[in-house]
């Protein structure tokens, strides 16, 4: 396959953006897959801050990353990122929606999502990337999607490139990627 | 830069999709840059068919690719692709709009563009890609863009993946890419 699907493309951007020693954020730890991947990219000289509001997600992520000492798991809302992170970051990644295999009624919501994205953009270093995988098929998902789209579409083009990477001939609202790079 | 701009990303997809010995199509030869790039990818054992309705473009492309013997320049509409090409193709590329540095009143138009895209999709081999760079800022451009979007959005997802790769925070209708891969 030449044209990468959304999740592999997201990983390939992270691989390019994150180097050994970097500080990065996983805004939605979930089952810990991205946290683990980020931890391998930064290496032990870097640091991964991984947020989730659900204890179940924090526990699943803790188990998945137990081989690493440079992951800080934070059982709090990603809307409070700046309470925990002050260093410049090379990347942040978000998977919006609900916890896979978890309680589907607990979802990320527009207000806290926008707040956390703003905080990440402030922390982002030049050439750093903020990657947001948007799932909108669930109840409440389209409101969050619309709010995020409005926010990122109006980011100043002098400071940010905002890419939308989307498969447009599919049914059932497949996820798409927003990739924001600081200039 | 981690997030590639539209034209470099288009070239990187061509690099992945096209191998030595392949047959490919440049649907809009223009000033010959893509034709030259494709000719280097297919090598002398492959073949590039390059179309343009403007003699000026054919001449510019001829000069640019004079080092290659495996480029066939066709001074005709890309709506007549099947009159010239019957082999399975690994890739086709289109840059919609007008000839850069040429007569801006001569533009690609919805009807012939859709006809040529359909012909390319029929010729495409499995894992082959059709790449369409859509410029819509010029007069008549938005009608063509809308027609192309309607066409590609309704391609069956069992047979094609249709990616839209677009920077969404820019003014002045920058070009975006449609990348269609045959499954």
């Amino acid at each position: 396959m030449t044209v990468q699907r959304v999740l592999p493309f997201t990983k390939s951007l992270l691989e390019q953006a994150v180097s050994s020693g970097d500080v990065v954020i996983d805004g939605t730890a979930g089952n810990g897959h991205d946290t683990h991947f980020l931890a391998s990219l930064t290496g032990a000289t870097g640091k991964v801050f991984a947020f989730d509001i659900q204890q179940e997600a924090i526990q699943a992520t803790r188990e998945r990353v137990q081989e690493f000492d440079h992951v800080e798991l934070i059982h709090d809302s990603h809307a409070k990122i700046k309470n925990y992170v002050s260093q410049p970051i090379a990347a942040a990644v978000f998977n919006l929606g609900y916890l896979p295999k978890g309680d589907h009624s607990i979802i990320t919501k527009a207000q806290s999502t926008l707040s956390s994205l703003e905080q990440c953009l402030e922390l982002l270093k030049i050439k750093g990337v903020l990657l947001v995988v948007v799932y909108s098929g669930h109840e409440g998902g389209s409101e969050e999607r619309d709010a995020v789209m409005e926010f990122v579409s109006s980011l100043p083009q002098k400071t940010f490139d905002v890419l939308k990477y989307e498969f447009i001939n599919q049914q059932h609202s497949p996820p798409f990627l927003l990739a924001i790079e600081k200039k």
Side-chain angles (χ1 to χ4, degrees), chain A:
Chain A
M1 177 174 285
T2 295
V3 180
Q4 286 185 300
R5 312 295 307 185
V6 168
L7 298 184
F9 183 71
T10 303
K11 289 182 82 166
S12 74
L13 290 180
L14 288 174
E15 276 176 331
Q16 291 169 64
V18 180
S19 303
S20 180
D22 280 337
V23 177
V24 299
I25 289 172
D26 185 347
T28 49
N31 290 314
H33 295 283
D34 284 342
T35 310
H36 187 276
F37 184 63
L38 288 168
S40 68
L41 293 175
T42 69
T45 59
K47 174 121 190 178
V48 183
F49 292 94
F51 293 80
D52 212 292
I53 49 167
Q54 294 188 66
Q55 183 58 43
E56 186 185 347
I58 294 293
Q59 186 54 34
T61 302
R62 176 171 292 120
E63 284 166 23
R64 196 173 300 277
V65 300
Q66 54 190 333
E67 69 196 275
F68 298 116
D69 291 326
H70 59 290
V71 176
E72 186 168 334
L73 296 171
I74 300 162
H75 182 202
D76 200 348
S77 168
H78 50 216
K80 295 189 187 155
I81 281 174
K82 289 197 111 177
N83 292 4
Y84 299 92
V85 187
S86 55
Q87 304 99 310
I89 60 171
V93 63
F94 288 73
N95 284 276
L96 302 184
Y98 52 76
L99 175 65
K101 301 179 196 162
D103 181 345
H104 291 198
S105 73
I106 304 175
I107 59 174
T108 55
K109 288 184 185 154
Q111 194 180 356
S112 55
T113 297
L114 292 187
S115 171
S116 61
L117 298 183
E118 279 182 303
Q119 292 173 58
C120 286
L121 290 179
E122 282 180 40
L123 292 169
L124 216 56
K125 62 184 188 180
I126 289 173
K127 297 191 182 175
V129 294
L130 167 58
L131 306 180
V132 185
V133 180
V134 183
Y135 294 79
S136 64
H138 57 285
E139 199 176 322
S142 57
E143 290 79 358
E144 183 185 38
R145 175 199 64 205
D146 294 346
V148 170
M149 285 303 296
E150 189 183 338
F151 171 67
V152 302
S153 302
S154 61
L155 288 172
Q157 73 180 93
K158 279 193 172 175
T159 319
F160 298 104
D161 282 327
V162 182
L163 170 71
K164 186 180 189 194
Y165 187 96
E166 179 180 31
F167 288 87
I168 59 173
N169 70 326
Q170 299 187 359
Q171 300 184 319
H172 308 305
S173 307
F176 63 86
L177 171 67
L178 296 167
I180 305 162
E181 179 164 350
K182 196 165 197 167
K183 290 182 176 178

